[in-house]
Amino acid sequence: MAESNFPKRAIQVLSVLLIIGGIALYIGWGIAHGSWNFLEPKYIPIYGLTVVMVLFGALGLLLARLKD
């Protein structure tokens, strides 16, 4: 019975790790480079990566919840 829940649980864990990693990336980069300005052109790629990580994590959690 526990084996049938494995893929859903793995998706949930990976999704949570993506969200935590995205937030940690945002905070770590902001502290290391002293910039929290989204509009500064040289920092846009790191914030784009953060948004992608958090969105994929949120979508993974949503899909795991809908998967029955």
Side-chain angles (χ1 to χ4, degrees):
M1 185 163 189
E3 293 174 12
S4 64
N5 198 21
F6 174 72
K8 183 178 178 181
R9 190 71 168 150
I11 291 171
Q12 289 175 335
V13 169
L14 290 174
S15 297
V16 168
L17 287 176
L18 270 174
I19 292 171
I20 292 171
I23 293 170
L25 177 70
Y26 173 77
I27 293 171
W29 186 271
I31 290 171
H33 293 281
S35 175
W36 303 97
N37 185 5
F38 284 108
L39 302 176
E40 195 169 340
K42 65 181 180 177
Y43 297 125
I44 288 176
I46 197 67
Y47 296 124
L49 181 61
T50 299
V51 168
V52 168
M53 288 176 70
V54 171
L55 284 179
F56 273 126
L59 287 173
L61 285 176
L62 179 65
L63 290 175
R65 175 175 280 202
L66 294 176
K67 184 180 180 185
D68 283 330

